[in-house]
Amino acid sequence: MENVNKVALVTGGARGIGEAIVRRLIKGGFSVLIGDIDEVGAVELADELVAEGFQVKGTKLDVTDTESVKAFVDLALTEFGKIDVLANNAGITRDSLILRMKDEDWERVLNINLKGVFNCTRAVAYHMLRARSGRIVNIASVVGQIGNAGQANYSASKAGVIGLTKTCAREFASRGITVNAVAPGFIRTKMTNSLPDEIRTKLQQTIPLGFFGEPEDVAEAVYFLSSDAARYVTGHILNVDGGMAM
């Protein structure tokens, strides 16, 4: 495995797309620190993977809290000695039309989805800049590029992640650090699986390929951007959306 002795941090890694990212990275040889607001879920997933022979640890992480983020980064350095990759995956939705959207739902989504990426990026950047190497991969969304009714807060947060990605790519490039984003479209998760068949059919009709993606599709893109194969890719937004935004 080409990435043996490399260390990745994954936020929001306890389930869904985050879990798929964790599993793909360890399969590729990375040691992984899983951070999630659900500490039990993060620890249980880590324990499962450790039992399979992988180098993984799970811990609680609140990406909106700078002290929690600092503790997360310090734990990575204590356990593994360095940080090669940061995958900023933590995020939430609180959907509503603009005229009905509550202030707290706007602020909560922006705080986790955008400020959380800023907090974690700033915390690891210092160590990557000193090492003169690193990969940062942010999970954006196709709705950050094309918008979506009922998701003003979510689409604004993900558009912000795209802008932040490009700015960080420019700031860090001279030190050998790449910063990219993956923009998923409709991915098959518990949320999409719970939608009525009629709505799911309508959503699929907006996808040129005609079907929802899987969490593993996103994880493969993250793995590529985390690997040496992407050493000359930075400031790029890789859409994993079945053609929705083309």
Side-chain angles (χ1 to χ4, degrees):
M1 292 183 287
E2 65 179 278
N3 296 298
V4 173
N5 300 323
K6 289 190 176 181
V7 177
L9 280 59
V10 180
T11 74
R15 66 181 64 80
I17 290 173
E19 178 182 350
I21 292 170
V22 170
R23 291 182 181 277
R24 183 62 185 93
L25 289 171
I26 62 170
K27 180 181 176 182
F30 284 92
S31 299
V32 177
L33 177 61
I34 305 167
D36 202 289
I37 195 68
D38 175 11
E39 181 178 13
V40 173
V43 171
E44 286 181 349
L45 176 59
D47 288 347
E48 173 192 334
L49 297 172
V50 167
E52 296 174 12
F54 297 106
Q55 298 294 317
V56 189
K57 188 171 182 65
T59 188
K60 183 174 183 177
L61 171 64
D62 179 353
V63 296
T64 70
D65 181 358
T66 54
E67 289 303 314
S68 178
V69 171
K70 182 180 183 301
F72 181 60
V73 172
D74 288 346
L75 179 60
L77 295 172
T78 299
E79 290 289 325
F80 302 115
K82 60 176 182 169
I83 300 169
D84 297 294
V85 172
L86 168 65
N88 279 309
N89 170 73
I92 64 167
T93 58
R94 293 289 186 273
D95 296 348
S96 181
L97 295 173
I98 286 179
L99 294 180
R100 299 175 183 170
M101 186 168 289
K102 298 177 182 178
D103 288 352
E104 54 266 34
D105 288 341
W106 171 270
E107 292 163 4
R108 184 65 173 160
V109 169
L110 269 291
N111 209 25
I112 293 174
N113 295 8
L114 181 54
K115 186 182 177 183
V117 173
F118 166 75
N119 286 341
C120 294
T121 297
R122 182 176 58 178
V124 303
Y126 173 77
H127 303 283
M128 289 184 175
L129 289 167
R130 290 187 63 188
R132 302 185 73 87
S133 69
R135 303 276 187 269
I136 298 173
V137 184
N138 300 323
I139 302 301
S141 171
V142 66
V143 303
Q145 298 169 310
I146 64 175
N148 193 36
Q151 290 193 305
N153 48 5
Y154 187 75
S155 61
S157 71
K158 295 302 186 178
V161 167
I162 289 171
L164 180 60
T165 297
K166 291 178 177 291
T167 294
C168 290
R170 289 187 179 276
E171 289 190 9
F172 302 158
S174 65
R175 294 297 185 94
I177 300 165
T178 66
V179 188
N180 295 286
V182 176
F186 290 114
I187 303 300
R188 193 180 302 279
T189 61
K190 288 183 179 179
M191 182 180 70
T192 56
N193 288 340
S194 67
L195 293 172
D197 290 341
E198 180 183 353
I199 293 177
R200 211 162 40 236
T201 298
K202 287 182 178 179
L203 291 176
Q204 287 176 341
Q205 290 172 352
T206 70
I207 306 169
L209 284 180
F211 59 91
F212 290 171
E214 301 290 343
E216 290 74 19
D217 295 318
V218 180
E220 288 291 348
V222 173
Y223 177 76
F224 165 68
L225 292 171
S226 300
S227 73
D228 291 338
R231 72 182 188 90
Y232 202 55
V233 180
T234 197
H236 183 71
I237 314 303
L238 177 54
N239 284 48
V240 183
D241 64 357
M244 286 180 64
M246 67 178 171

